Amino acid sequence: MSQCVEQIRHVCALGAFESVLAIKRAVPIVHSGPGCVSKLMTTLGTQNGHQGSGYVGGHAIPCTNASENEVVFGGTDQLRKVIANTFNVMDGDLFVVLTGCTSDIIGDDIGEVARKFKKSGKPIVYVETGGFKGSNLIGHELVLDAIIEQYLEPQPQIEPGLVNLWSVVPYQNTFWTGDIEQLSKLLAAIGLKPNTIFGPDSSIEAVRDIPKAQFNLVVSPWAGLRAAEHLQERFCTPFLHYPVLPIGPTETSTFLRTVGDFAGIDRSIVEKVIQREENRYYYYLERAADSLLETRLLPRRFSTVGDSLYTLGISRFLTNDLGLIPEKQFITEDTPPKHQANVAAEFTKYTNEIVAETVFSNDGGYVEEELRKLKLRSRPLILGSSWERAVARDLNAYQLSISAPIANQLVLSKSYVGYDGALHLTEDIYSVVLNDFM
């Protein structure tokens, strides 16, 4: 009996070319069949916050457009021509060759091709990202592995306070640019120097400085952990794994204390920042208390549908800070089996011994069936993707898009991270409620 996955929420490993584009002046070179890049770009960009293509992205991405001829006779000659022409035409600081299914299946030795260009002084690395290797989150990890192993060099000394930040996956996580900015601001507030590899503050210098960091910080249930382990193995750089995206005062204050202690920062400095930010947060919350505590409006129960990064961070905030009750939490990024137990365990660490049931599935059809089975007395809140808008209407539920794909919002610098992010999330949730109520 054939099976299919409905309502896709991520793409294949080749989608990691977006992670390359997230580094300023980094150029992906794709060795794949025609159409692959265009379809992936539409899913991760146009239909996911309308993020667009950026510098040398979209239809400007160099591609071999491998055809039947390359399948029969091999595609290395075509790849060599495309790489040579890319260096002549594209102005970049780092070039990353990625493969699709076709070239991986026929066994093209892209490593040999790339190494010859590297020997001539070209800044180039290669990575095999055939779609059958997994999702674009796995592809993201493979790209990081390639950069670490093939491009980075040991540095003469460590720079105190410099921290490599590994967290949201570019383009897959719709709010990735804003999230990186907010995480960086939190780190800078307690005296650290965030080294941001992706986003508006990225640069090839930041990539080269990775081995100089005092430590690596992974803010994610699992994505990015492999890179931190790789860097520890290659450059002996220690790392801190904080599995929850900090949203709201409870989690963000815990995050700052944990990072501060690991970095050896005076606790009084950290507490001063926390006190200032919490005071500001509660000032705004108290101003809106009349509406927030109005029982006719408050959605008492909620479900999240999305990557573990957002489902965990948002559910912690809604439960611990806003007092909502979690129903099933659906994790959709095809979490590797070896990480699922640890991810599920994080959904048992709420205040007041609350436990949220977790379901791992990237099949939107199955998720929709499970949502329809929920027996709720009051109107629930469903935080998911654009796919959940239809089932939310049928269930008379409030719905807010927080995970890919988000086709009904333009996302520029929005973020739900930290103290400010929690205020923005509260605004968005209650705007949905008030818009429906009024």
Side-chain angles (χ1 to χ4, degrees):
M1 181 177 179
S2 61
Q3 294 181 337
C4 66
V5 174
E6 296 182 54
Q7 303 171 5
I8 61 170
R9 297 159 195 274
H10 54 72
V11 297
C12 71
L14 180 57
F17 70 79
E18 297 281 20
S19 295
V20 178
L21 292 173
I23 304 172
K24 277 187 180 178
R25 293 180 56 81
V27 180
I29 302 173
V30 178
H31 184 27
S32 74
C36 292
V37 171
S38 178
K39 293 174 182 177
L40 299 176
M41 175 192 68
T42 299
T43 303
L44 293 176
T46 308
Q47 297 300 321
N48 192 26
H50 302 274
Q51 298 180 66
S53 54
Y55 181 66
V56 303
H59 296 292
I61 294 176
C63 181
T64 57
N65 290 321
S67 63
E68 290 86 349
N69 183 73
E70 282 70 39
V71 171
V72 175
F73 299 105
T76 53
D77 288 342
Q78 177 69 3
L79 175 61
R80 193 174 293 107
K81 292 177 184 177
V82 170
I83 294 175
N85 289 333
T86 299
F87 280 118
N88 290 332
V89 175
M90 295 291 190
D91 182 18
D93 294 327
L94 175 64
F95 296 79
V96 181
V97 180
L98 305 98
T99 58
C101 296
T102 303
S103 57
D104 278 9
I105 290 173
I106 65 178
D108 280 346
D109 191 348
I110 65 163
E112 180 187 14
V113 177
R115 283 191 293 270
K116 286 184 178 179
F117 281 95
K118 186 174 182 180
K119 286 180 181 178
S120 67
K122 302 296 186 182
I124 188 170
V125 302
Y126 66 93
V127 54
E128 295 181 352
T129 48
F132 49 80
K133 291 184 180 291
S135 72
N136 54 309
L137 284 86
I138 299 299
H140 173 75
E141 302 272 286
L142 294 174
V143 166
L144 296 181
D145 277 345
I147 292 174
I148 293 168
E149 197 63 38
Q150 302 170 37
Y151 185 74
L152 299 184
E153 298 292 342
Q155 298 295 311
Q157 58 185 14
I158 301 302
E159 184 176 342
L162 186 67
V163 181
N164 296 322
L165 177 60
W166 310 102
S167 183
V168 288
V169 176
Y171 291 90
Q172 169 65 32
N173 298 128
T174 321
F175 311 120
W176 67 278
T177 47
D179 289 347
I180 290 173
E181 286 189 308
Q182 293 304 314
L183 287 169
S184 297
K185 287 179 180 179
L186 290 172
L187 297 176
I190 61 174
L192 294 171
K193 292 177 283 188
N195 190 35
T196 52
I197 316 304
F198 306 105
D201 294 324
S202 67
S203 65
I204 196 63
E205 288 76 19
V207 175
R208 293 193 189 111
D209 285 346
I210 289 174
K212 292 172 58 177
Q214 177 183 338
F215 66 95
N216 289 291
L217 174 61
V218 181
V219 186
S220 165
W222 64 273
L225 187 57
R226 173 170 166 172
E229 292 171 343
H230 194 170
L231 288 166
Q232 184 179 56
E233 178 183 341
R234 181 145 192 247
F235 300 109
C236 298
T237 310
F239 70 88
L240 170 64
H241 180 206
Y242 196 87
V244 186
L245 190 67
I247 300 174
T250 299
E251 198 64 54
T252 307
S253 298
T254 300
F255 168 74
L256 290 176
R257 292 186 180 105
T258 303
V259 174
D261 289 346
F262 188 85
I265 297 173
D266 189 326
R267 178 59 80 93
S268 65
I269 296 175
V270 177
E271 292 301 326
K272 185 177 180 179
V273 172
I274 291 173
Q275 187 65 49
R276 181 186 72 231
E277 294 298 329
E278 286 190 352
N279 286 344
R280 181 175 179 276
Y281 171 85
Y282 286 113
Y283 165 79
Y284 285 108
L285 212 64
E286 288 169 2
R287 269 193 356 179
D290 292 346
S291 294
L292 293 175
L293 299 178
E294 172 58 67
T295 55
R296 292 178 303 160
L297 303 180
L298 185 69
R300 297 172 184 172
R301 296 178 179 272
F302 72 93
S303 286
T304 57
V305 185
D307 292 355
S308 56
L309 182 75
Y310 283 102
T311 55
L312 180 56
I314 288 175
S315 64
R316 286 271 187 99
F317 166 66
L318 295 181
T319 303
N320 295 342
D321 294 307
L322 290 191
L324 276 61
I325 302 171
E327 290 290 338
K328 284 185 178 179
Q329 309 295 298
F330 298 91
I331 301 168
T332 60
E333 86 269 13
D334 202 17
T335 310
K338 68 177 182 179
H339 293 298
Q340 289 186 9
N342 290 335
V343 172
E346 292 298 327
F347 285 87
T348 68
K349 299 178 182 179
Y350 297 87
T351 58
N352 300 319
E353 300 182 350
I354 294 174
V355 175
E357 181 183 354
T358 55
V359 177
F360 292 89
S361 176
N362 65 342
D363 187 340
Y366 172 76
V367 171
E368 181 177 327
E369 290 177 3
E370 291 298 300
L371 286 172
R372 293 183 185 279
K373 291 178 183 177
L374 296 179
K375 299 185 183 299
L376 304 171
R377 295 181 180 178
S378 59
R379 294 184 67 177
L381 169 66
I382 299 176
L383 302 106
S385 70
S386 293
W387 292 121
E388 276 65 58
R389 297 179 71 193
V391 68
R393 286 194 295 267
D394 292 346
L395 297 177
N396 194 30
Y398 302 111
Q399 190 272 341
L400 178 66
S401 297
I402 52 90
S403 64
I406 299 179
N408 62 316
Q409 293 182 36
L410 171 65
V411 178
L412 297 175
S413 63
K414 176 183 283 191
S415 172
Y416 293 139
V417 166
Y419 303 95
D420 280 353
L423 292 173
H424 296 154
L425 178 56
T426 305
E427 288 172 344
D428 286 352
I429 289 173
Y430 279 88
S431 293
V432 169
V433 173
L434 290 170
N435 184 65
D436 186 81
F437 181 77
M438 302 300 289

